[in-house]
Amino acid sequence: MKIEEIRLEELNPKKFIEGKIQEISSVIGNGLAISALSGGVDSSVVTILGHKALGNRLKTYFIDNGLMGENEPERVVLLFKELGVNVELVDAKEQFFDALKGITDPEEKREAITQTFYRHVLGRLVKDSGAKFLLQGTILTDVDETVAGIKRQHNVFEQLGIDPEQAFGYKIVEPLIQLRKPAVREVAKTLDLPEEIYKRMPFPGPALVARVIGEVTLEKIETVRKATKIVEEGLHDTEAFQYLAILHADKVTGIKEGKRDYGLQIEIRCWDSKDAITGSPTRLPHDTLYKLAERITTEVSGVVSVTYNITKKPPSTIEAV
Ligand code: XMP
């Protein structure tokens, strides 16, 4: 069934919010629902809509998969506490790293994340809480790319013929499925979410796994997390759509303290885009890039090479995996 898009120009955020609160209330009835908050704009909006519709019949969890940005889990929990929403932090780091062990294929890595998240971690939370529904911030772009076979987004099921109730034991409710990112930001603003949320840069569901080429290990995640932080700090003022760091699997020859050093390669990507469907590399000043390279090679241990991606999407994608 084709999903009808609500374009930014035709969106009435107030009406949309009222409608969705009613819809969530009537679908969930007197039962319980779960929201898995990541701190991104989509899951934040869904959590607030659910909170308004269900009050404390909505259980909100932040699943710490060990694959997020630095201090992300604690920051998000605190921010929502200030908004009056209680978020429980669930430590699932070991489960995710165990599931990723030995896998190098990009789609298999995504599948490992999906299974760990939906079947094992959320499956247990839903069972333990007695909830029957998961509220989820899937947006139209996630569906489009998955259906087009470009990249299987970690959160798209029904459009692939997967029944979440049969597969995982709960129903998925997707209040944002007709929107794209700019419209979701508008709804977030109308909900009085802080700028930190409604302007937040997109971050992929599979988190830093989308930025490690080859097998994912704790050590590689730590490397890419440090590089990501430097890139985010260095490019924050560019107003680009999205910027990120990727850790390559191949090592290259470099020099350290006058000696040959076979080391790691980090690739920087910075995108101009409206909705992530197409994109082009931001024309960053060389000075900015040199500074990033300098910081990454001195602050991230083992890195001897930093490159900048100059390819458009398509044929590139925004993330590497
Ligand atoms: P790609 O790499 O496909 O990314 O050009 C397009 C946009 O989507 C984000 N992204 C994801 N978001 N689940 C999500 O919710 C995913 O599995 C996923 N993969 C990529 C990516 O960061 C970019 O903004």
Side-chain angles (χ1 to χ4, degrees):
M1 199 176 67
K2 183 143 172 48
I3 302 162
E4 206 165 308
E5 179 176 357
I6 304 174
R7 295 181 186 280
L8 182 62
E9 311 80 70
E10 59 200 28
L11 173 77
N12 176 334
K14 274 216 167 93
K15 252 176 106 178
F16 178 87
I17 291 165
E18 280 164 21
K20 288 299 163 184
I21 291 175
Q22 266 182 17
E23 200 179 300
I24 294 169
S25 293
S26 78
V27 172
I28 313 297
N30 293 323
L32 291 177
I34 275 184
S35 172
L37 176 69
S38 72
V41 63
D42 308 336
S43 71
S44 296
V45 165
V46 164
T47 298
I48 297 293
L49 290 175
H51 181 72
K52 284 185 186 291
L54 306 171
N56 54 19
R57 285 188 296 117
L58 179 75
K59 303 278 167 226
T60 303
Y61 298 101
F62 187 106
I63 313 296
D64 184 359
N65 53 17
L67 308 165
M68 310 295 279
E70 207 171 270
N71 298 327
E72 200 69 5
E74 295 76 15
R75 267 226 333 256
V76 174
V77 171
L78 195 69
L79 208 148
F80 272 78
K81 196 171 178 195
E82 283 162 10
L83 295 171
V85 180
N86 188 38
V87 183
E88 199 177 310
L89 194 59
V90 178
D91 181 355
K93 295 197 267 295
E94 222 178 288
Q95 266 171 290
F96 279 90
F97 280 105
D98 280 352
L100 288 161
K101 212 172 267 171
I103 306 178
T104 53
D105 178 79
E107 288 295 296
E108 282 177 27
K109 285 199 276 188
R110 285 177 164 259
E111 186 58 20
I113 297 277
T114 297
Q115 292 296 334
T116 308
F117 187 77
Y118 287 95
R119 187 180 301 280
H120 302 301
V121 180
L122 279 182
R124 183 179 60 77
L125 290 174
V126 168
K127 218 173 179 180
D128 291 353
S129 69
K132 294 206 167 42
F133 296 90
L134 170 72
L135 297 191
Q136 171 165 284
T138 325
I139 63 170
L140 196 50
T141 318
D142 300 340
V143 177
D144 284 349
E145 298 218 326
T146 301
V147 173
I150 294 170
K151 202 181 273 186
R152 158 84 197 274
Q153 305 281 312
H154 79 293
N155 51 357
V156 174
F157 302 107
E158 280 172 39
Q159 294 76 15
L160 292 175
I162 299 168
D163 174 1
E165 200 173 8
Q166 251 182 11
F168 312 121
Y170 50 85
K171 288 195 173 113
I172 298 185
V173 180
E174 298 171 312
L176 309 182
I177 198 103
Q178 290 170 280
L179 308 183
R180 294 192 191 274
K181 207 66 128 193
V184 180
R185 293 195 197 282
E186 209 44 47
V187 173
K189 222 160 131 181
T190 309
L191 282 169
D192 282 330
L193 281 163
E195 192 174 292
E196 183 183 342
I197 298 277
Y198 72 75
K199 279 202 173 164
R200 178 161 300 197
M201 187 163 58
F203 190 70
L208 296 174
V209 167
R211 301 175 181 176
V212 171
I213 300 172
E215 189 187 354
V216 173
T217 62
L218 187 62
E219 201 187 1
K220 287 187 194 171
I221 289 290
E222 269 161 15
T223 300
V224 85
R225 182 182 284 133
K226 280 187 199 144
T228 302
K229 185 164 182 251
I230 295 170
V231 170
E232 286 180 357
E233 284 170 3
L235 300 182
H236 181 261
D237 294 333
T238 57
E239 305 255 314
F241 176 82
Q242 198 170 351
Y243 32 87
L244 50 125
I246 289 160
L247 174 62
H248 281 252
D250 289 338
K251 288 190 171 181
V252 287
T253 304
I255 308 164
K256 203 159 127 201
E257 287 155 11
K259 285 213 177 78
R260 180 185 143 100
D261 178 30
Y262 208 45
L264 305 171
Q265 299 185 70
I266 290 284
E267 176 188 329
I268 299 169
R269 295 185 180 188
C270 180
W271 295 99
D272 291 336
S273 175
K274 267 208 192 70
D275 47 20
I277 299 170
T278 58
S280 43
T282 308
R283 290 172 187 248
L284 294 173
H286 274 89
D287 271 356
T288 307
L289 290 168
Y290 290 163
K291 273 185 207 144
L292 287 175
E294 185 67 32
R295 273 197 71 187
I296 292 171
T297 47
T298 47
E299 294 175 36
V300 188
S301 137
V303 177
V304 297
S305 168
V306 176
T307 56
Y308 184 54
N309 175 55
I310 49 166
T311 320
K312 285 185 179 173
K313 174 182 179 176
S316 180
T317 53
I318 287 181
E319 308 287 347
V321 169

